[in-house]
Amino acid sequence: MADSVELAITGMTCSTCASRIERKLNRVPGVHATVNYATESAHIELDSDIPVADLVHVVEQTGYAATPVSDHDGDEADVDALRRRFLVSLALALPVVAVSMIPVLQFPGWQWVALALTTAIVGWGAWPFHRAAAINARHAASTMDTLVSMGVLAAYLWSLWAILFGGAGAIGYTMSHGFGGHSATGTPDIYLEVAAAVPVFLLAGRWFEARAKRRSTAALRALAALAAPDAALLVDGIETRVPVADLRVGDVFIVRPGERIATDGVVEDGASAVDTSLLTGESLPVEVGAGDAVVGSTINVDGVLTIRATRVGADTQLAQISLLVMQAQAGKAPVQRLADRISAVFVPVVIAISLLTLATWWLVTGDVEAAFTAAVAVLIIACPCALGLATPTAILVGTGRGAQLGILIRGPEVLEDTRRASIIVLDKTGTVTTGRMALQDVLVARGEDPVVVGTMAAAVERGSEHPVARAIAGGLDVPPAADFANHRGLGVTGRVDGIAVAVGRPAWVADMVAAAGVPAALADAIDAAEGRGATVVAVGWDGAVRGALVVADAIRPTSARAITLLRELGLQPVLLTGDNTRSARAVADAVGIHDVRAEVMPEDKVAVVRDLQATGASVAMTGDGVNDAAALAQADLGIAMGAGTDAAIEASDITLVRSDLLSAVDAIRLSRRTLRTIKGNLFWAFAYNVAMIPLAAVGLLSPLFAGAAMAFSSVFVVANSLLLRRFRPTP
């Protein structure tokens, strides 16, 4: 029995579609479905053994298409098809609009050429709107697509009638610009430019949204890319390279320096340092030896390991994180787009007003043509071109400005989330800190020179590839020590100018140089540094421990100010990390964070976010590692640092190209301002249409001027959106 099923849904045009599919699926006994319009997917929990084909059939009966996520690979093709539809329609519409609106371009027979071009746009370019309107009508519902389809078809059919039967097809016909809807000779006007331009405007917005949605599943692909492709399987002492998929629990395999560990297991032989930063966020490699557990996809740094597999396939930690990301994405509540909310009421009302106008004029005047002209004017002035432009134009300008500032915003749902966010969860390593070990201090015993101590240690550490060693050696131009030796897990030794030097754990260094112990004052300084969460290595030679070097993950210089500004934006910061409590508390105190959650594993990070959400808070999450990917997806707003892993970036809603928390502040400011612009656009577009509808209904506004008025509202929306280009980052 399958516990859950993921379906990719195609054909949805608004969140109303998602709600309809969700209702249909949930009527099936034993099914608990969540349909997400933003990711175009359905997450289905099953209480009984229900064939996937039956679930697909339910979706298809509702008027949409569905395929299992594992079989779905058409996202890119769908976006490319929409792009082609937009570009071809744009190329066809430009001459129609030009020749219709500029009398000097109206050559003999121009209307027939415009009719041919518009026919292609209405029949092919606007097909997605007609199809969506038909599906909605089948379910006795209406959306913005309904009004778009009706307005486009009304303008086109009126123009077709006028050209074929109303005299507008005569060679030498030119457009009039009177309010009455007829030329001076009594020939009706045609509105091909309206029928051609409206679909193009809306296709542009639909294409932009589709491009943003295509990236919603990229997090899973990024996680899958971390897996090792093959493993050196050891059978009867003979190594054989086999695909990771062929490994079974109990198999023994070899991992050499620089290779990824193929799957979760236990070390049977060998010792090494393992870079677990991709999964745990720890900047310092973990020393492992016989009996220690290791995780698949982590990197073996410097030793040869023989490992026995304990978990393979879907049971590995990486696979579990992938599942968490998928479930978190599917579980996000669909955000109702503001245009759809307005259209839910606006569209039926406009249709009713148009029909009422037609009936009233017909009954009062008996003039069918005048009645139809007024009814078409109502549909055209109400046609929500500006409503459709309100979101995509603001998004295009806002995200374009964001890109200039190194802020990548996914789409309109993200803007809603930035407005609601009340808590921001911050990963420590690579987010608040740089994620790189750095030498912070040189501690010395009485009478010792810090420069000499640092130089001697750097000379020995130059022979090691360990991150602590690289931090100590740093950029010092010193010759490497002779007779270098690595004492795994303890330290390193070498000879500098003939002097035997040991660098490593304080007690071990004292033993290696035959010292009585670590001097009391130096030992106290070491304890204090370790209490702040730093890593400390001692240095000794000639029978004495001469000093110690303090190495730590450096805090970003802008983090403290960013925390202050986040609080000013109404966000409560929470530090969340897999590091030890002492290190986490030291960093939190330095930047002004009071709420600290330390020693948290990847799956527990998701639980922390869920617990915060359970309090009613809207949670933003900032991180950079694979260990953060699932939490970023679970959060209401995920913000990934650009220097982080692909999995974290793809699971997020906002990506910061600059790994700087001030960029997170700017991202939230820009997102909130963009959302305010969208709301302003929607208000004015809606108000403009409402004000003009009565004029059209009483015959004071011809369809031609209705089209011009609609175009003006679109220009206003675009101009208002362009003001976002003035956004300035935090200085």
Side-chain angles (χ1 to χ4, degrees), residues 100 152 189 211 314 329 339 399 451 481 586 631 655 687:
S100 298
V152 168
D189 284 328
R211 283 198 309 171
Q329 287 186 335
T399 55
V451 175
T655 299

Coordinates of all heavy atoms in Angstrom, one line a residue, residues 100 152 189 211 314 329 339 399 451 481 586 631 655 687:
S100 N -4.7 50.0 -36.8 CA -6.0 50.3 -36.3 C -6.1 51.7 -35.6 O -7.0 52.4 -35.7 CB -6.5 49.2 -35.3 OG -6.7 48.0 -35.9
V152 N -12.5 39.2 -25.5 CA -11.8 39.0 -26.8 C -12.7 38.5 -27.9 O -12.7 39.0 -29.0 CB -10.6 38.1 -26.5 CG1 -10.0 37.6 -27.9 CG2 -9.6 38.7 -25.7
D189 N -17.9 50.7 -36.3 CA -16.5 50.6 -36.1 C -16.1 49.1 -35.8 O -17.0 48.3 -35.4 CB -16.1 51.4 -34.8 CG -16.0 52.9 -35.1 OD1 -15.7 53.3 -36.3 OD2 -16.3 53.7 -34.2
R211 N 7.6 30.7 -15.8 CA 9.1 30.6 -15.6 C 9.4 30.5 -14.2 O 10.3 29.7 -13.8 CB 9.7 31.8 -16.2 CG 9.9 31.8 -17.8 CD 10.9 32.8 -18.2 NE 10.7 34.1 -17.7 CZ 11.6 35.1 -17.8 NH1 12.7 34.9 -18.4 NH2 11.3 36.2 -17.2
A314 N 16.0 4.8 -0.5 CA 15.1 5.8 0.1 C 15.2 5.9 1.6 O 14.7 6.8 2.2 CB 13.6 5.4 -0.2
Q329 N 7.1 21.5 0.3 CA 6.6 22.2 -0.8 C 5.1 22.0 -1.1 O 4.3 22.8 -1.3 CB 7.4 21.9 -2.0 CG 8.8 22.5 -2.0 CD 9.6 22.3 -3.3 OE1 9.3 21.4 -4.0 NE2 10.5 23.2 -3.5
A339 N -5.8 39.3 -8.0 CA -6.6 39.5 -9.2 C -7.8 38.4 -9.2 O -8.9 38.7 -9.7 CB -5.8 39.4 -10.4
T399 N 11.4 42.5 -9.4 CA 12.5 41.4 -9.4 C 13.6 41.9 -10.3 O 14.8 41.5 -10.0 CB 11.9 40.1 -10.0 OG1 11.3 40.4 -11.3 CG2 10.9 39.5 -9.0
V451 N 54.3 36.7 17.5 CA 54.7 36.6 16.1 C 55.5 35.3 16.0 O 55.3 34.5 15.0 CB 55.6 37.8 15.7 CG1 56.1 37.5 14.3 CG2 54.7 39.1 15.7
A481 N 57.4 23.2 7.3 CA 58.3 22.4 8.2 C 58.8 21.2 7.6 O 58.2 20.6 6.7 CB 57.5 22.1 9.5
A586 N 27.6 32.0 21.8 CA 28.6 33.0 21.7 C 28.3 33.9 20.4 O 28.3 35.1 20.5 CB 30.0 32.4 21.5
A631 N 14.0 22.7 5.7 CA 13.4 23.8 6.6 C 13.1 25.0 5.8 O 12.1 25.7 6.0 CB 14.4 24.2 7.7
T655 N 16.6 34.2 -3.2 CA 18.0 33.9 -3.1 C 18.8 35.2 -3.1 O 18.6 36.1 -3.9 CB 18.5 33.1 -4.4 OG1 17.7 31.8 -4.4 CG2 19.9 32.8 -4.4
A687 N -10.9 50.2 -9.8 CA -11.7 51.4 -9.7 C -12.0 52.0 -11.0 O -13.1 52.6 -11.3 CB -11.0 52.3 -8.7

